Amino acid sequence: MKKPVLILISFALLCVLVFLSACGKDTAENNPTAGLTKVAEGYAAGAAAKVELYTKETTLTSGYTRFYVALYDSVSGNRIDEAHISLTPMMDMGSMTHSAPYENPVSENAEKHLFPCSVTFIMSSMGGSWTLKLNVHNHLNNKEGSLTLPLTISEPVKSRQKSFTASHNGAKYFISLITPSAANSKVGINDFEIAIYKKASMMSWPADSSLTVSLTPEMPTMGHGSPNNVDPVHTGKGHYKGKVNFTMTGLWRLNLDFMSGGSVADTTQYFDVEF
Amino acid sequence: MKKIIPFLFILHSLTGRTQTGFSDSSRYIELKEVTVPVKNGSSRQQLVRFVRTGQAASLEDIMSRIPELNLLRRGSYGMEPSIRSLSSGQINVLIDGMRIHGACTDKMDPPTIYIEPVNLDRMEVQTGNHGFLHGSAIGGSINLAVASPSCHAVSKISGLFSSGYQSAAQAFYESLQLNYAGPRWSLLGSITGRKAAAYRSGGGDKVAFSQYEKINYSLSAIYQYNPQTRIKLDFIGDNGWNISYPALPMDVGYAAAGIASVSLEKENPLKKITRWRVKAYANQVRHYMDDTHRPNVPMHMDMPGKSQTAGLYSDGEIRLNSRQQIRFTADLSLTYLKASMTMYQTGQLPMYMLTWPDNRKDQAGAGASWQWQADSNWSLRATARIDLVNYTLRSQEAKDHISILGFPDAARSGFLKNISFGATRRISPVLKTNASIGWAERMPTASEYYGFYLFNAQDGYDYIGNPDLRPEQSLLGELNMTVQGKKAEFKLGGFYQYIRRYIMGRINTSYSSMTIGANGVKTWEALPYAILTGIEASLVWKPVDEVSLISTLRYTYGKTNKGEALPMIAPLKNLSALRYQPGRVFLQAETEQASRQQRYSLAYGEDATAAYTLLHVRSGYSFSLWQKKTDLQAGIENILDKKYHEHTDWGNIPRPGRNFYMQLLMRF
Ligand SMILES: [Cu+2]
């Protein structure tokens, strides 16, 4: 009469073991930087923090670039999930320097141990050298420090970054294609997102929400467009979201017209996507 | 294009088959050698003898001679049948009761191309009010009943060899059929090859891109379990290549079809269920369309397609008593379709899209037709059928395509109801009339629901599917009259059909055409209604035993709710044949006439079609070779070498000019 009980218990134990080992595996797979590429790292000395910089892409190219910052205590190696990070991108062209549009992490609390932020590299490293300065205020020890990381920005196969001088006010606008990309495009309805920045000075590149955008995709090789696209509208911080429909694979040109109220800002810009 | 024509077509009505006196617009075109005893010399029964022809003719030739049928022609191959100007999803085209869907988005491959007349037992054309028994359709049915092995053959092994040639397309036709008749098992196998070069049209010009080559093979086996029960296995294979369509911008590099079925058949005239059959079947069609060989193509394009159908059906007949009988059917089928297009531009990634986003149509239906011979003067018939149809897109990729059109959820289902009543009255020994009325519905096709930029070469528009379509509905009234004399039979019929939610392409200016050079985009939309009305008449006259005359006349008038002409409607047409057969030799003269068609659909890219008159002569000689009957036939079609085209021919491509043909049929 005892044997069945023993078997049952050992079976239950086995189940628990399997469950635990599966759980362990799960946490290993829950590595927050899985699938991301580390593009730079260093120490923010004053904040006693190690800084690691990640992106989804394997190489950095000019245009809107989303970064994921991971912070570690420089002594214990433990993750720092509460910090205040601010960015300063800088381009040194020898004769002059200028900054670029950027987005600091929205929260001082990490999102899955990472602090998402962005920099829009308005040109590649062909014309000079890019650096990204991160100022870190470590909320765990209330210390502050910074570091500057050099970055190499190459030119993408299809440009994701355009600029124009608006005809209605003479200001210079910088347009970045965030999505779709060759990697995430499909035949069907695709999310469309751009970010618009205005150049206020060499050091100030604020997000712009004053323009209205209309989107007209076409296949330049065939001369046709696609139906039922949704013009991008401003959703905050210079980001405009809409929908672009691809009726087939191949090379698509996403024509963009920009209006400011009733007057034309620019009608010459486009992004090419080939998938 | 006309192939070798049967030396006389026959219009053999249902009345002759069931002998119950029902007279309506169904036709059973017997194509095998029929051994109906010639009894009392009535014109119809005498004419049954003429049926034993046609093995060397193509099915399209036979169809073109049936008054209710028209052929939509895009090339000399793959003409699409239409019944009283309704086609495609509006009619059922079945092979031995099986559903089969073409794999071509451009309708290059109607199911009729898979049946060689040598494999055909009979063609059942059911127009009008009883044409939906085997599938919800508003325009009727064509069923191609496939030949069975002959179990009672005199010799164990028998066969038929036929060979033909025709000059206009320098076309060759070779066919071999072998029959084995054993005590339990019997087998029938056939192989047929056709090869046609680009044909010469009237006046002598070659019509480029009109050639084709194909091979068709079939095997049928019967196991006779007991005198009433048999098991039947059927396979038909068909491979075509180098097929060109002068009216289309694309050709077919390769097309293949495989059609297989197994059935159990029971027949016992003494039982209540006199005939019963259950059949399981599957078929697959592959179609590779491209424009590699066309000149001046801006961009090379491949358009492969695939269709797969599996189904199960059962049908039979119940004799309630000597005066009442019921034909019933129950069936279900699954049809999967997928077609894509890839275009190539050097230096760029290929451009790929689904033209038929992969989809499946599931269908289940049941129907019955009740016939009652009330007394010697009255007979009644009622037919009803219901169908449940469900369409689904089968992949995320397909759903993504259709979501562009504004349909995130494009699965559709329908419940279709069909019902009809008919009455036949014998007014006098020579005069019979028949009247019927019916309601029928049909589901939109996969192209009409989900077609994705399908180019129509006739009107030059890209067509876009519309999942918002609802079933097309039809109310049809029909009147027929038969005068049956001792030496002549005259039939006259008229019909009036009101089609609600008639599905037609409408220009959609908010879309830009995909095909380079297209005029724009059309979306399938439902007109509030359309009207089709017409008359059909036929005369069979046999003044003396050696001479017979057949003449058919048809006219159809179609209009939209706005009074505009419907597309693809043939004008007034007459076909007449006079045959003289003193003995082993026969001579036949034929005329084929069509009036000018001035009512045409401008919206569908049509124009007026000129009238024409054609003259054909045919001759034949039968003799015994090794104690078997051998036939030698020869003739000239379009003797006047008239350059002409029919109104239902796409692109006004001229038809073949003067064509000399000969054929040999040897039995052994
Ligand atoms: Cu095709």
Side-chain angles (χ1 to χ4, degrees), chain B residues 104-108 251-252 287 289 303:
Chain B
C104 177
T105 49
D106 292 354
K107 298 179 186 170
M108 286 174 174
D251 304 313
V252 175
H287 184 85
M289 183 159 64
M303 293 184 76

Side-chain angles (χ1 to χ4, degrees), chain B residues 528-545:
Chain B
Y529 68 90
I531 303 285
L532 268 177
T533 176
I535 56 161
E536 287 142 6
S538 65
L539 173 71
V540 177
W541 182 42
K542 200 162 172 61
V544 287
D545 270 359

Side-chain angles (χ1 to χ4, degrees), chain A residues 186-189 219 221-222 224-228 245-251 274-275, chain B residues 299 343 345 348-353 400-401 403-405 452-453 511-514 516:
Chain A
K186 63 178 186 202
V187 179
I189 301 174
M219 286 201 105
T221 1
M222 297 186 68
H224 67 75
S226 70
N228 303 328
N245 295 337
F246 296 139
T247 53
M248 61 179 83
T249 66
L251 174 68
E274 190 175 20
F275 70 104
Chain B
M299 213 177 291
M343 282 180 295
Q345 173 80 7
Q348 284 184 19
L349 294 177
M351 288 165 257
Y352 170 86
M353 68 186 215
D400 286 344
H401 275 67
S403 65
I404 292 180
L405 308 177
F452 202 68
Y453 293 92
Y511 283 53
S512 68
S513 56
M514 185 279 297
I516 293 169

Side-chain angles (χ1 to χ4, degrees), chain B residues 419-439:
Chain B
I419 191 156
S420 69
F421 300 96
T424 302
R425 177 152 193 247
R426 204 172 67 146
I427 292 167
S428 78
V430 295
L431 179 65
K432 218 155 53 175
T433 57
N434 169 275
S436 65
I437 187 157
W439 175 264

Side-chain angles (χ1 to χ4, degrees), chain B residues 399-631:
Chain B
K399 289 173 188 167
D400 286 344
H401 275 67
I402 298 304
S403 65
I404 292 180
L405 308 177
F407 298 93
D409 177 18
R412 291 294 180 266
S413 55
F415 177 58
L416 306 171
K417 306 158 287 291
N418 308 271
I419 191 156
S420 69
F421 300 96
T424 302
R425 177 152 193 247
R426 204 172 67 146
I427 292 167
S428 78
V430 295
L431 179 65
K432 218 155 53 175
T433 57
N434 169 275
S436 65
I437 187 157
W439 175 264
E441 300 181 332
R442 70 109 176 169
M443 206 62 182
T445 62
S447 288
E448 288 161 347
Y449 267 155
Y450 308 127
F452 202 68
Y453 293 92
L454 299 178
F455 181 65
N456 179 318
Q458 175 63 25
D459 62 3
Y461 280 82
D462 282 338
Y463 276 67
I464 295 263
N466 178 3
D468 271 348
L469 290 174
R470 294 168 66 201
E472 226 173 50
Q473 300 173 320
S474 140
L475 184 65
L476 172 66
E478 239 185 297
L479 265 174
N480 293 293
M481 166 188 106
T482 309
V483 182
Q484 177 76 63
K486 266 211 159 67
K487 300 193 171 219
E489 185 198 69
F490 174 71
K491 282 183 90 168
L492 178 67
F495 68 94
Y496 184 90
Q497 188 167 19
Y498 172 91
I499 303 169
R500 190 165 167 241
R501 303 187 198 134
Y502 182 84
I503 297 172
M504 207 177 164
R506 185 187 291 162
I507 294 172
N508 186 335
T509 49
S510 64
Y511 283 53
S512 68
S513 56
M514 185 279 297
T515 306
I516 293 169
N519 296 328
V521 173
K522 283 186 179 177
T523 305
W524 290 109
E525 302 271 357
L527 299 185
Y529 68 90
I531 303 285
L532 268 177
T533 176
I535 56 161
E536 287 142 6
S538 65
L539 173 71
V540 177
W541 182 42
K542 200 162 172 61
V544 287
D545 270 359
E546 294 84 25
V547 177
S548 53
L549 174 85
I550 264 191
S551 188
T552 68
L553 189 81
R554 66 168 176 224
Y555 176 72
T556 310
Y557 177 94
K559 64 171 187 182
T560 67
N561 59 313
K562 287 184 180 146
E564 290 156 357
L566 289 181
M568 291 288 137
I569 301 225
L572 181 70
K573 262 183 101 169
N574 166 251
L575 227 76
S576 297
L578 180 67
R579 180 185 173 98
Y580 173 64
Q581 184 162 20
R584 293 163 163 272
V585 178
F586 82 83
L587 284 170
Q588 185 170 319
E590 290 179 12
T591 62
E592 199 179 324
Q593 284 180 291
S595 70
R596 183 177 153 81
Q597 180 57 292
Q598 299 185 84
R599 271 186 61 77
Y600 56 88
S601 171
L602 202 60
Y604 198 64
E606 290 185 344
D607 55 7
T609 300
Y612 62 84
T613 302
L614 307 177
L615 232 59
H616 316 302
V617 288
R618 304 176 195 287
S619 66
Y621 174 59
S622 298
F623 56 97
S624 267
L625 197 66
W626 305 302
Q627 283 140 6
K628 296 280 180 179
K629 191 165 153 275
T630 298
D631 293 313

Side-chain angles (χ1 to χ4, degrees), chain A residues 89-107:
Chain A
M90 197 62 73
M91 176 50 155
D92 185 351
M93 299 176 77
S95 56
M96 57 176 266
T97 57
H98 65 78
S99 184
Y102 62 87
E103 292 166 317
N104 285 330
V106 286
S107 164

Side-chain angles (χ1 to χ4, degrees), chain A residues 33-40 52-60 66-68:
Chain A
T33 55
L36 301 178
T37 304
K38 194 200 291 178
V39 292
E52 290 180 354
L53 197 60
Y54 289 88
T55 56
K56 277 189 177 140
E57 298 75 32
T58 47
T59 52
L60 295 176
R66 199 142 186 84
F67 287 110
Y68 301 88

Side-chain angles (χ1 to χ4, degrees), chain B residues 150-464:
Chain B
S150 166
C151 319
H152 317 292
V154 187
S155 49
K156 253 191 155 176
I157 304 275
S158 57
L160 173 77
F161 169 74
S162 51
S163 175
Y165 173 77
Q166 55 162 324
S167 65
Q170 293 165 333
F172 292 91
Y173 160 86
E174 311 292 337
S175 176
L176 180 68
Q177 193 179 50
L178 282 174
N179 190 86
Y180 164 81
R184 288 246 141 162
W185 282 95
S186 40
L187 300 169
L188 178 71
S190 80
I191 183 156
T192 304
R194 290 180 189 270
K195 182 178 162 81
Y199 64 84
R200 219 189 110 263
S201 69
D205 294 330
K206 265 237 155 80
V207 175
F209 301 106
S210 62
Q211 78 286 355
Y212 67 90
E213 288 173 55
K214 75 172 286 186
I215 185 161
N216 181 287
Y217 38 96
S218 71
L219 186 66
S220 177
I222 283 181
Y223 177 73
Q224 196 77 40
Y225 180 71
N226 64 34
Q228 290 82 39
T229 313
R230 58 189 203 168
I231 295 160
K232 197 163 167 250
L233 296 164
D234 284 286
F235 176 79
I236 299 168
D238 190 280
N239 293 53
W241 61 95
N242 187 21
I243 307 168
S244 270
Y245 297 80
L248 299 178
M250 308 281 286
D251 304 313
V252 175
Y254 181 63
I259 302 160
S261 67
V262 53
S263 33
L264 176 75
E265 299 176 358
K266 269 183 171 288
E267 204 162 345
N268 189 344
L270 305 173
K271 282 204 165 168
K272 193 151 202 171
I273 298 177
T274 51
R275 194 177 59 77
W276 181 72
R277 161 171 74 165
V278 58
K279 185 173 205 151
Y281 65 91
N283 57 65
Q284 169 166 292
V285 185
R286 306 204 74 132
H287 184 85
Y288 298 92
M289 183 159 64
D290 67 74
D291 58 6
T292 318
H293 301 287
R294 296 295 176 114
N296 310 321
V297 172
M299 213 177 291
H300 167 55
M301 190 192 293
D302 282 338
M303 293 184 76
K306 183 166 99 172
S307 115
Q308 290 171 321
T309 305
L312 193 67
Y313 85 83
S314 173
D315 67 352
E317 281 176 26
I318 304 169
R319 204 177 53 176
L320 297 175
N321 54 44
S322 63
R323 292 178 171 277
Q324 287 187 70
Q325 118 185 18
I326 288 175
R327 291 174 62 192
F328 64 89
T329 174
D331 50 80
L332 53 97
S333 67
L334 313 178
T335 305
Y336 172 87
L337 295 177
K338 180 175 185 174
S340 66
M341 184 205 70
T342 309
M343 282 180 295
Y344 303 93
Q345 173 80 7
T346 38
Q348 284 184 19
L349 294 177
M351 288 165 257
Y352 170 86
M353 68 186 215
L354 296 175
T355 46
W356 270 338
D358 34 331
N359 63 85
R360 204 176 77 195
K361 177 188 179 184
D362 303 342
Q363 165 271 331
S369 186
W370 167 75
Q371 301 185 350
W372 180 36
Q373 183 74 47
D375 57 40
S376 58
N377 290 331
W378 279 96
S379 61
L380 299 173
R381 186 169 175 184
T383 308
R385 181 182 169 97
I386 50 168
D387 259 301
L388 271 169
V389 186
N390 192 42
Y391 273 99
T392 43
L393 293 171
R394 305 307 295 175
S395 70
Q396 189 56 45
E397 189 186 19
K399 289 173 188 167
D400 286 344
H401 275 67
I402 298 304
S403 65
I404 292 180
L405 308 177
F407 298 93
D409 177 18
R412 291 294 180 266
S413 55
F415 177 58
L416 306 171
K417 306 158 287 291
N418 308 271
I419 191 156
S420 69
F421 300 96
T424 302
R425 177 152 193 247
R426 204 172 67 146
I427 292 167
S428 78
V430 295
L431 179 65
K432 218 155 53 175
T433 57
N434 169 275
S436 65
I437 187 157
W439 175 264
E441 300 181 332
R442 70 109 176 169
M443 206 62 182
T445 62
S447 288
E448 288 161 347
Y449 267 155
Y450 308 127
F452 202 68
Y453 293 92
L454 299 178
F455 181 65
N456 179 318
Q458 175 63 25
D459 62 3
Y461 280 82
D462 282 338
Y463 276 67
I464 295 263

